[in-house]
């Protein structure tokens, strides 16, 4: 592993709708092209040597969008999941989902479970899709599960610390985020990986997600390498 190389890269893929609108097209066209960029960047990240790539694909807040857009995103998710097996096999990618995907339709749930199971022994990059994911929801869910274990006598309150709490998060077996990238010009975290990004370096791009390229990913990594991470120390 190169020095200062980010082990875990997370991306907020923003701007699909604005990109399509700027071209006089429907917002859904932006999501479609955005989904193709997901494939390209996944391959690039694996090739570059990133160990963990986590993509924010659908937030707990995205249900507030017009029904037609939500339905389009669900249909797109189904089509895209159906096409991922070869990509994962050829690039030795392990696939995971974080977020409560049990609310999606049965076919999508089955596809996600199938892909996670088929790729579980792959040793290359781990690709994690955040689906129906929210950072606050994840932390509240962890607290609830931890309380259950206290109630059942499995753990003692005095044993609770950050390392133990982490075991109750979706990302229990992943390192914290090193580099968090957001496209689309906004500079906020939007409820993504709140616990895991406590010391992440942020790199923002004004360009929209459908315009994002492998060169941009390399640029963000180069920027990361130049940053001095002190984790609160000197
Ligand atoms: C943000 O663009 C993007 C999303 C809310 C969804 C991201 C989805 C993809 C990249 C497609 C692949 C994912 C699935 C679920 C198949 P936006 O619509 O917020 O853009 P805007 O800020 O311009 O409105």
């Amino acid at each position: 592993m190169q020095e200062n190389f980010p082990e875990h890269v997370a991306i907020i893929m923003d701007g699909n709708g604005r990109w399509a609108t700027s071209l006089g097209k429907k917002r859904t066209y932006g999501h479609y092209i955005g989904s193709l960029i997901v494939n390209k960047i996944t391959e690039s990240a694996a090739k570059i040597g990133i160990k963990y790539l986590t993509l924010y694909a659908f937030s707990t807040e995205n249900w507030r969008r017009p029904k037609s857009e939500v339905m389009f995103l669900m249909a797109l998710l189904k089509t895209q999941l159906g096409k991922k097996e070869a990509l994962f096999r050829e690039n030795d990618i392990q696939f995971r989902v974080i977020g409560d995907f049990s609310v999606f339709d049965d076919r999508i749930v089955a596809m996600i479970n199938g892909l996670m199971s088929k790729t579980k022994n792959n040793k290359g990059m781990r690709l994690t899709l955040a689906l129906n994911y929210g950072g606050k929801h994840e932390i509240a869910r962890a607290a609830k599960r931890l309380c259950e274990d206290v109630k059942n006598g499995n753990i003692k309150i005095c044993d609770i610390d950050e390392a133990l709490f982490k075991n109750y998060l979706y990302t229990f077996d992943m390192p914290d985020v090193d580099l968090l990238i957001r496209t689309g010009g906004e500079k906020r975290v939007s409820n993504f990986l709140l616990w895991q990004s406590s010391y992440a370096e942020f790199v923002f791009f004004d360009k929209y997600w459908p315009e994002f390229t492998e060169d941009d990913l390399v640029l963000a990594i180069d920027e990361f390498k130049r940053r001095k991470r002190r984790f609160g120390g000197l």
Side-chain angles (χ1 to χ4, degrees), residues 6 12 36 62 94 105 112 114 129-130 133 147 154 158 168 175:
I12 301 177
L36 304 184
N62 285 152
Q94 189 186 100
D105 86 36
I112 290 171
L129 273 194
Y133 173 88
C147 287
N154 294 333
C158 61
Y168 293 84

Side-chain angles (χ1 to χ4, degrees), residues 13-18 27 31 34-35 57 62 65 76-77 209:
M13 310 178 289
D14 197 17
N16 291 346
R18 280 170 289 159
R27 290 177 53 81
H31 293 314
S35 73
N62 285 152
R65 294 185 175 210
L76 184 62
L77 178 62
W209 175 249

Side-chain angles (χ1 to χ4, degrees), residues 74-123:
M74 291 303 133
L76 184 62
L77 178 62
K78 203 184 286 186
T79 316
Q80 285 299 319
L81 289 171
K83 292 182 182 168
K84 289 279 189 285
E85 210 178 315
L87 175 78
F88 295 162
R89 193 179 46 247
E90 284 156 20
N91 295 279
D92 200 20
I93 288 169
Q94 189 186 100
F95 178 67
R96 286 284 185 89
V97 167
I98 56 171
D100 181 12
F101 64 92
S102 68
V103 301
F104 293 145
D105 86 36
D106 293 350
R107 182 81 197 106
I108 294 181
V109 173
M111 288 169 106
I112 290 171
N113 283 326
L115 280 172
M116 290 200 295
S117 156
K118 278 187 187 135
T119 63
K120 70 173 190 290
N121 295 322
N122 288 356
K123 297 282 180 286

